[in-house]
Amino acid sequence: MSEYVIPHKHEITHGDRVRRNGYRPYLIWFTGLSGSGKSTLASALESKLFQDKFHTYILDGDNIRAGLNTDLDFTESSRKENIRRISEVSSLFLDAGIMVLTAFISPFEEDREQAKEIVGKDRFIEVFVDTPLEICEQRDVKGLYRKAREGKIPNFTGIDSPFEEPVFPDIHIKTTAQSIEQSLAALYSAVLKKIDS
């Protein structure tokens, strides 16, 4: 940061917002292959939290790339910058007292660790949506895997770019072993335990 950039300290603090809301906000970070079910689960969890009077917001991969990150491609350096920006935006939302849910492939362990550092490890919940590649390819709702196999999309995670699975995620959802309803119930219970701890 430049020596000429001096962040202003505002009168209303994060602690003030926590006391008013009655809970500490968390960043709930969904990671997994394209088509694994990240956005579906994030949306379902947000609905549950919203019904319970939590202030929530979802940051989704395609939505962010359609606006804030339109200047980034899918090279490794751009993917790292994509995750860094998302982490900084998430930190601002958390400071505002909002529960943030993000749904990004975020394939590299180093980038997910950086996200934790930016927002604070005590405010970060990592959710690994674990769906085998073959199942994601069968779903292929957007036709991306087919295009990647045809060589039309380079650097596609799971095909010609690696996905580094989280070693110790806070929540591990195995979508082939449980239904969406079961996954949501496990997610919701784990998140509430974090919030109440």
Side-chain angles (χ1 to χ4, degrees):
M1 185 167 62
S2 169
E3 62 181 300
Y4 302 111
V5 176
I6 305 172
H8 183 78
K9 291 187 177 181
H10 297 283
E11 185 175 339
I12 304 301
T13 68
H14 175 68
D16 294 327
R17 297 185 184 98
V18 168
R19 283 187 287 276
R20 170 176 281 189
N21 291 340
Y23 60 85
R24 289 182 65 229
Y26 281 85
L27 169 56
I28 306 168
W29 188 282
F30 290 79
T31 182
L33 292 170
S34 177
S36 62
K38 299 181 300 297
S39 295
T40 299
L41 285 172
S43 182
L45 179 59
E46 185 192 31
S47 294
K48 288 277 289 181
L49 292 170
F50 188 80
Q51 289 168 11
D52 281 351
K53 310 301 182 188
F54 290 98
H55 299 287
T56 61
Y57 198 81
I58 291 181
L59 297 173
D60 186 83
D62 285 346
N63 294 351
I64 291 295
R65 281 187 175 274
L68 177 66
N69 290 344
T70 54
D71 59 320
L72 300 177
D73 55 26
F74 289 91
T75 60
E76 185 171 334
S77 60
S78 284
R79 288 182 175 201
K80 288 179 177 294
E81 176 60 13
N82 183 52
I83 297 304
R84 188 196 68 79
R85 291 184 194 177
I86 296 311
S87 304
E88 293 289 358
V89 170
S90 297
S91 185
L92 293 173
F93 272 82
L94 292 178
D95 189 54
I98 298 170
M99 298 282 288
V100 184
L101 300 88
T102 68
F104 296 93
I105 295 172
S106 47
F108 304 118
E109 181 69 24
E110 179 183 6
D111 298 339
R112 297 191 298 265
E113 285 299 317
Q114 182 187 47
K116 291 179 190 179
E117 292 296 329
I118 289 173
V119 304
K121 291 185 177 181
D122 61 333
R123 303 196 300 176
F124 190 98
I125 301 173
E126 184 177 54
V127 180
F128 177 26
V129 184
D130 188 354
T131 305
L133 176 62
E134 59 269 23
I135 301 298
C136 294
E137 285 201 73
Q138 287 171 19
R139 293 174 181 171
D140 204 14
V141 178
K142 302 172 186 176
L144 299 178
Y145 283 102
R146 177 177 52 78
K147 291 178 181 177
R149 291 289 187 189
E150 293 170 353
K152 295 178 180 177
I153 304 177
N155 304 312
F156 195 82
T157 302
I159 305 301
D160 55 0
S161 184
F163 178 78
E164 299 172 358
E165 295 188 358
V167 180
F168 300 111
D170 296 296
I171 304 170
H172 191 167
I173 300 295
K174 296 185 178 182
T175 62
T176 55
Q178 53 197 125
S179 67
I180 291 177
E181 292 75 20
Q182 291 170 326
S183 298
L184 177 59
L187 265 173
Y188 187 65
S189 174
V191 169
L192 286 187
K193 282 182 182 177
K194 279 275 190 181
I195 294 171
D196 293 337
S197 64

